[in-house]
Amino acid sequence: MRAAGQSEMRQLLSTLNVHCIQAPVEAEKKVAVEKSKQTLKAGWLFKKSEKAKLGMAMGKAWQRRWFVLEVETEAGQDENTLVKKAKLTYYHNNKDAAKPDGEGVEIPLNETMGVKQGHGKTKGTEHRITLNTPKREWELGSGEAAVAARGESAPCRTGSGMLLPIVV
């Protein structure tokens, strides 16, 4: 036996189901992340040349170059993710870096296998950092302790996951 009012309740529920107005479903709003490039640091550093000049068995020479550290940000493949890629490029001077077609040499941070910090005796390059990549060992130096101290406080992850102190 049914309880009193049960049939009325079923009728009411069926009426509600028929006459319910479905609220419009708002499409999920995806935040569009535009690809952007930001210069984190730029300044003069010394880099050690790769080869001795004229094939002579001399020590490697230090060359003053303008370094620019940039970070490119873009949307990742997964939802709500960002991909940031650091790029360290050096130029002969700061005017070359400002040119749209300025030819610089990019140090492949994503291939970095090791990072060493050290001190040297050569004036102007006392505070040093060495980046090891599969093709080359990049030795960079600065004479200013303040630049080296700033580098220790501004770490950046390389493509291999290593923590790289930024000395620029």
Side-chain angles (χ1 to χ4, degrees), residues 30 36 39 60 74 102 130 160:
K30 268 194 171 179
S36 65
T39 299
K60 294 180 177 180
E74 59 186 333
T130 305
S160 62

Side-chain angles (χ1 to χ4, degrees), residues 133-160:
T133 63
K135 294 181 182 175
R136 180 175 171 188
E137 186 172 276
W138 299 85
E139 195 168 352
L140 310 176
S142 172
E144 300 175 29
V147 172
R150 245 190 339 210
E152 291 172 7
S153 65
C156 170
R157 287 218 180 267
T158 65
S160 62

Side-chain angles (χ1 to χ4, degrees), residues 65-166:
R65 297 289 184 251
W66 182 259
F67 281 79
V68 178
L69 175 65
E70 296 175 320
V71 174
E72 290 181 357
T73 305
E74 59 186 333
Q77 291 180 350
D78 296 333
E79 192 175 330
N80 297 325
T81 60
L82 291 177
V83 176
K84 292 188 175 190
K85 297 176 187 172
K87 180 175 153 184
L88 183 62
T89 308
Y90 69 87
Y91 303 86
H92 284 281
N93 57 50
N94 56 348
K95 292 175 185 167
D96 288 347
K99 294 177 185 175
D101 63 338
E103 291 186 29
V105 177
E106 185 179 339
I107 296 176
L109 295 178
N110 60 333
E111 297 176 7
T112 304
M113 300 181 309
V115 179
K116 279 191 302 193
Q117 228 173 345
H119 294 282
K121 296 179 182 178
T122 307
K123 185 173 180 163
T125 64
E126 293 92 352
H127 306 281
R128 298 180 183 175
I129 186 169
T130 305
L131 305 171
N132 293 317
T133 63
K135 294 181 182 175
R136 180 175 171 188
E137 186 172 276
W138 299 85
E139 195 168 352
L140 310 176
S142 172
E144 300 175 29
V147 172
R150 245 190 339 210
E152 291 172 7
S153 65
C156 170
R157 287 218 180 267
T158 65
S160 62
M162 301 208 95
L163 208 53
L164 170 67
I166 304 305

Side-chain angles (χ1 to χ4, degrees), residues 7-22:
S7 63
E8 290 85 13
M9 183 64 86
R10 283 187 185 187
Q11 257 185 345
L12 179 61
L13 287 175
S14 65
T15 306
L16 286 176
N17 286 337
V18 172
H19 299 293
C20 282
I21 300 173
Q22 199 171 25

